[in-house]
Structure formats: C-alpha cells, structure tokens
Amino acid sequence: MIDIPHDPTLDELRNALAPLVARNAAFDGWRAAAVANAAAQAQVDPAIAQLAFGDGPVAMIDAWFASVDAEMTARLPAETLAAMKIRERIAALVEARLDILAPDRESLRRALNILAMPQNLPRSVKLGWRAADAMWRLAGDVATDYNHYSKRTILGGVYAATLLAFIDDESEGQTETRAFLARRIDGIMRFEKAKAGLIPDKDRRLSLSRFIGRLRYPAV
C-alpha cells in the first residue's frame, strides 16, 4: 500500500510511485509500461504518472534509489544507530538497503545494466555517491576535510561491489553477500585506523618556537 497525498505535486507522485514502478520493472523493464502498470495499481491517472517519470529510465531508477534512502532512514533512526559502534552502523545501513532491495533483485539487475552504459556513467557515479553520503551521515560522520570524500568514495565502491554480489546470490538469506560485505567493511575499518595513525595529531606537530625555547631553557 502506498501513501499518495491528496492532489500531489509531480515530485510527490514520483516519490510515492517509485517503489511500485521498480516492482513492475522486473517484468516490463525500466520503461513507460512499468509506470503505466504502477499507476493502474495505485489508481492514479496514467497520463500524470507518465509526466512524473518523463525523464526516462535513469530518472525512474534515481527516484527508486531515493526511496531506498528514505526507507533506510525510517528503518534505522538515529536513536537506534547511536547504540552501535561505527562498524556496526555501516554494516546495518548497507544490510538495510539490501533488505529493501531484496524483493526487486531483477529490477535492480536491469537498473545496474542501464547505469553501466557509457552515457549513464556520470549519473551512476552520482547515485553511488548519494547512497554512500546518506549512509555516512546517518552513521554520524561530520568530517568536512578530505576524510569526507575518502570515506564516501571507499564506501561507494564497497556498496557497488556488494550490489553486484547481491544480484546473483542464491544463498539462503543472501548469507554469501552479507559475508562479502562484512569482509569489505573490515577492510574499510582497517584502512581508517591505519590512515589515522599516519596523520599527526595537531597537538603533536612540531612547533618551531617551542623547540627553540626548549633548547634555550631545557626542562629539568
């Protein structure tokens, strides 16, 4: 059951219909037919629904992924994540996305094939960054320096690789994908730990004036 506001805007309609369009894309592909069937199931004017998704397949996929972001946030509110360690937060957030996507793996397969087309690669990168950014922000990351970018780049790569494993995983409960994810997240955490050790703490940086002062007035 989807919740569509009374007299919705096109954005509101697109957001509400996106998961249903994705469900139909497994059979109809990311095409107008998926939108038409979603509109019929939601009892929405099909012409208005087509207008909401008038920018083509990539825009449909974009809307679906945005709905996954929203559902992930609803499933894992801040108070739930606050009780977890960082590693557990990231794992929980990625696994929540997998759980949301699980009923629509064929739609996901088709979506990834579309996003892998050369003309769609810039948009694909943008969507991957958006997902990684949403996860890090929910995990409590407030970095504004280069760590902001490195964390999202690395997690985006891990998430993309996990999705590729996920769409072909026939193990019960996708246990193989979850094990794959756990290994990759361990790698992220080791990298972050090593990186922190390579960056000097600002309080430990060499102070020339303090060094000269110690030469003149050595501590006893």
Side-chain angles (χ1 to χ4, degrees):
M1 184 66 180
I2 62 173
D3 184 20
I4 300 179
H6 176 69
D7 193 22
T9 64
L10 288 179
D11 284 344
E12 289 172 336
L13 184 60
R14 181 167 50 249
N15 294 341
L17 284 180
L20 198 51
V21 171
R23 186 63 45 88
N24 283 280
F27 308 98
D28 302 316
W30 290 95
R31 298 180 297 180
V35 177
N37 284 326
Q41 291 160 9
Q43 299 183 337
V44 170
D45 185 329
I48 297 178
Q50 294 292 350
L51 186 60
F53 290 95
D55 292 334
V58 176
M60 295 179 195
I61 296 166
D62 187 332
W64 181 36
F65 286 177
S67 75
V68 173
D69 291 342
E71 179 63 20
M72 174 186 67
T73 302
R75 291 190 184 193
L76 289 170
E79 57 269 22
T80 299
L81 292 170
M84 303 178 186
K85 296 179 179 179
I86 287 293
R87 184 201 181 285
E88 295 169 339
R89 294 178 196 176
I90 295 298
L93 288 162
V94 177
E95 290 191 356
R97 298 183 77 89
L98 298 182
D99 289 340
I100 295 164
L101 292 166
D104 302 303
R105 281 201 296 168
E106 179 55 33
S107 298
L108 177 62
R109 185 193 309 276
R110 295 182 179 221
L112 295 180
N113 286 339
I114 291 171
L115 292 174
M117 294 178 180
Q119 67 270 27
N120 295 330
L121 286 178
R123 189 73 167 272
S124 178
V125 170
K126 181 179 179 180
L127 294 179
W129 178 274
R130 188 176 72 189
D133 183 55
M135 286 186 276
W136 270 118
R137 288 181 184 277
L138 286 172
D141 179 63
V142 294
T144 56
D145 56 6
Y146 76 95
N147 283 301
H148 174 92
Y149 301 97
S150 65
K151 286 180 177 179
R152 284 150 181 79
T153 300
I154 294 169
L155 180 56
V158 167
Y159 180 54
T162 301
L163 288 182
L164 292 177
F166 174 67
I167 59 176
D168 290 321
D169 185 359
E170 299 301 330
S171 62
E172 185 175 353
Q174 287 80 50
T175 54
E176 292 181 6
T177 298
R178 296 177 195 280
F180 175 91
L181 172 64
R183 293 192 297 271
R184 296 305 180 275
I185 291 179
D186 282 342
I188 293 177
M189 295 301 109
R190 286 196 299 270
F191 175 77
E192 289 297 322
K193 184 176 180 180
K195 185 175 66 176
L198 292 172
I199 301 173
D201 187 287
K202 65 180 181 180
D203 293 330
R204 297 199 301 267
R205 291 175 184 167
L206 176 64
S207 169
L208 182 60
S209 60
R210 184 168 55 188
F211 177 68
I212 293 174
R214 285 179 176 175
L215 290 177
R216 293 177 60 195
Y217 306 106
V220 293

